[in-house]
Amino acid sequence: MKSKLTAVALAAVVVAGTAAAAVPASAAAKAEPTRCHTADLKAGFATGDDAKPEMERTDQQTQAYIWFTNQSTRTCTLSGFAGVDMVGAQSTDGTWSLARSSKTPEKMTLEPGDTVDFSITLLPVAGSTPKKEKFVPAKFLVTPPNETEHFTLKWPFGGQILKQDGATRPATYLNPVGQ
């Protein structure tokens, strides 16, 4: 009988609009955001003058930046490495899945409209480099961390990269989201 009276009293409180007082504090706390899904995001290359890779500088590494923007109406998180496959323009290029750096990823929280990027370190080579030693990027297949669907981004910068798709420690690699 006591539990029936408690239920009736709780129902009366809910009808009166004061149910929040009966909810435990732990349940009322704001839920932590969940990870961002591909459908929550849009992606692209950073193309501003300070973000363009120096593809004509064949004597040193350079960086390209890819960004993710949270286009959803909820806060979400990204943590880890994106998957990046470069698709080549030459018939001999094929697809090159980029290796990851040794940097430690951090969890990034994106409010609606927030943007975060990550860098890809590249080693450009001269156009006169033999075809078998260079990779000519045409597009990038970019998969957000912990996702299976990718974005297809056209490579906007030209140039070519030293082909090291089979190397143990290639000079072209990617960094975690936020780095």
Side-chain angles (χ1 to χ4, degrees), residues 72-146:
S72 75
T73 58
R74 68 180 186 88
T75 299
C76 61
T77 63
L78 285 174
S79 180
F81 290 84
V84 177
D85 293 330
M86 293 190 306
V87 178
Q90 303 178 117
S91 60
T92 56
D93 287 339
T95 300
W96 178 356
S97 296
L98 294 184
R100 298 173 173 184
S101 72
S102 60
K103 293 184 178 180
T104 303
E106 296 177 19
K107 183 185 264 188
M108 308 301 295
T109 301
L110 279 67
E111 300 285 336
D114 282 355
T115 297
V116 66
D117 65 8
F118 65 94
S119 63
I120 299 174
T121 300
L122 307 162
L123 183 57
V125 294
S128 60
T129 302
K131 185 176 183 177
K132 67 180 182 174
E133 295 176 21
K134 66 182 177 184
F135 187 95
V136 181
K139 60 186 172 182
F140 281 50
L141 308 178
V142 180
T143 308
N146 304 307

Side-chain angles (χ1 to χ4, degrees), residues 21 34 57 70 93 112 116 149 165:
T34 58
R57 298 281 317 260
N70 179 2
D93 287 339
V116 66
E149 294 183 40
D165 53 342

Side-chain angles (χ1 to χ4, degrees), residues 1 42-43 51 64-65 70 105 112 139 141-142 145 156 161 177:
M1 180 66 104
K42 59 184 175 177
Y65 296 87
N70 179 2
K139 60 186 172 182
L141 308 178
V142 180
I161 301 164
V177 171

Side-chain angles (χ1 to χ4, degrees), residues 25-43:
S26 61
K30 187 175 180 182
E32 286 292 314
T34 58
R35 73 180 166 86
C36 301
H37 298 286
T38 304
D40 297 325
L41 303 168
K42 59 184 175 177

